[in-house]
């Protein structure tokens, strides 16, 4: 007769399942953002529709992870690092679901733009997208490696995105002033830029939660201060 499985071992397995679920969700969110920008750049309505449909799966994954986390809290009564992991995992799942929502918003704008004549704009969406996606990827890498330094790098890159966002928005507004007949299409591009900036913000939120998991420190709004405090003299 097989020996019964010990409770601590099962708890570790449940935590691993939670981690793997987050990683799967993160991969889906990353893919959605990348495809959404391609649907704009390549004027691909089919790709845009796929993103909107796939978002249903991302929403379900968030609910599933949240349910798993609540059960772990209720049944296992975790302490210290395990407790932080479970609480932060729920927050991270929410941020990933919102990243998926931003991808859907971009895809919807792509479909609107693709029904209108193409327009050359004085911005490079791919540059902004690459930075925002890099932040999402690095935040998840920090989670996998349990590396707070990588998480801090994500927070620092958010400043770069904010500057680029301001630059792109100003260029689009200047175009609107000069070419009023382009206002509708330019407005779609303006919203897409804001969606990408929001994705970077959500990646920063994930990074802040990762530092909380590893160090038990709350660094929200205090990234630079925390970095200075942890730099060796």
């Amino acid at each position: 007769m097989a020996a019964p499985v010990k409770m601590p071992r099962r708890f570790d397995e449940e935590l691993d399942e939670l981690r793997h679920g987050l990683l799967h969700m993160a991969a889906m969110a990353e893919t959605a953002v990348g495809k959404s920008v391609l649907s704009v750049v390549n004027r691909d309505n089919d790709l845009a529709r796929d993103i909107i449909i796939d978002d249903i799966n991302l929403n379900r994954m968030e609910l599933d992870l949240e349910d798993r986390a609540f059960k772990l809290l209720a049944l296992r009564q975790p302490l210290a690092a395990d407790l932080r992991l479970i609480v932060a995992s729920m927050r991270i799942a929410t941020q990933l679901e919102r990243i998926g929502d931003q991808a859907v918003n971009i895809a919807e704008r792509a479909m609107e733009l693709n029904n209108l004549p193409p327009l050359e704009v004085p911005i490079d969406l791919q540059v902004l997208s690459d930075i925002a996606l890099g932040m999402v990827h690095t935040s998840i890498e920090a989670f996998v490696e349990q590396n707070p330094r990588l998480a801090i790098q994500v927070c620092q890159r958010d400043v770069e995105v904010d500057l680029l966002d301001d630059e792109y928005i100003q260029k689009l507004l200047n175009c609107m002033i000069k070419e009023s007949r382009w206002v509708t299409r330019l407005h779609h591009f303006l919203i897409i830029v804001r969606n990408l900036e929001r994705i970077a913000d959500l990646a920063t939120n994930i990074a802040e939660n990762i530092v909380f998991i590893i160090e038990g420190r709350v660094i929200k709004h205090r990234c630079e201060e925390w970095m200075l405090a942890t730099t060796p003299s």
Side-chain angles (χ1 to χ4, degrees):
M1 182 175 178
V5 177
K6 293 182 180 179
M7 189 69 72
R9 180 178 175 182
R10 180 57 194 147
F11 179 53
D12 289 340
E13 290 172 353
E14 289 167 341
L15 288 179
D16 283 340
E17 289 168 3
L18 191 66
R19 291 188 190 95
H20 291 147
L22 273 178
L23 293 178
H24 186 200
M25 192 175 178
M28 287 182 63
E30 271 192 81
T31 299
V33 174
K35 285 182 176 179
S36 70
V37 175
L38 281 178
S39 72
V40 178
V41 174
N42 296 338
R43 295 176 62 83
D44 190 332
N45 275 345
D46 290 336
L47 192 58
R49 289 190 192 95
D50 288 345
I51 295 157
I52 294 167
I53 293 169
D54 288 345
D55 189 58
I56 295 170
N57 292 327
L58 206 57
N59 294 340
R60 287 173 179 164
M61 288 191 72
E62 183 204 9
L63 294 174
D64 179 64
L65 284 167
E66 192 175 79
D67 184 60
R68 287 171 183 260
F70 276 126
K71 285 179 179 176
L72 284 170
L73 289 173
L75 301 177
R76 304 301 190 190
Q77 298 182 343
L79 300 172
D82 291 338
L83 176 60
R84 294 199 301 271
L85 170 63
I86 295 167
V87 172
S89 292
M90 287 191 288
R91 296 176 184 169
I92 293 171
T94 298
Q95 307 306 321
L96 290 170
E97 189 274 334
R98 289 174 180 169
I99 287 172
D101 286 344
Q102 298 303 312
V104 168
N105 292 343
I106 294 170
E108 289 173 345
R109 295 291 170 174
M111 293 178 73
E112 293 286 343
L113 283 166
N114 296 346
N115 292 327
L116 298 168
L119 179 66
E120 293 257 350
V121 289
I123 63 173
D124 192 335
L125 282 179
Q126 198 63 58
V127 170
L128 185 56
S129 170
D130 287 347
I131 298 172
L133 268 176
M135 291 171 66
V136 175
H137 185 80
T138 302
S139 68
I140 299 306
E141 187 180 354
F143 176 72
V144 171
E145 297 182 10
Q146 294 290 281
N147 187 337
R149 290 285 169 180
L150 284 177
I152 291 295
Q153 288 176 20
V154 174
C155 298
Q156 292 172 325
R157 291 213 79 181
D158 193 46
V159 176
E160 182 182 352
V161 171
D162 288 343
L163 291 173
L164 200 56
D165 171 68
D166 290 343
E167 177 189 334
Y168 282 9
I169 293 299
Q170 191 57 57
K171 285 180 176 179
L172 291 171
L173 290 174
N174 288 341
C175 281
M176 286 181 178
I177 293 170
K178 293 177 183 177
E179 300 288 350
S180 59
R181 68 186 187 278
W182 295 348
V183 165
T184 298
R185 283 172 288 173
L186 289 168
H187 182 257
H188 288 310
F189 279 105
L190 189 149
I191 297 301
I192 291 168
V193 169
R194 282 293 160 91
N195 290 145
L196 290 170
E197 190 272 337
R198 181 59 182 149
I199 288 167
D201 284 344
L202 292 164
T204 300
N205 292 345
I206 292 172
E208 290 169 347
N209 278 295
I210 289 161
V211 173
F212 173 70
I213 292 171
I214 300 167
E215 303 286 345
R217 296 173 183 265
V218 177
I219 64 163
K220 191 172 183 180
H221 309 308
R222 295 167 55 206
C223 246
E224 291 182 6
E225 174 188 336
W226 188 88
M227 188 65 176
L228 289 172
T230 55
T231 300
S233 55

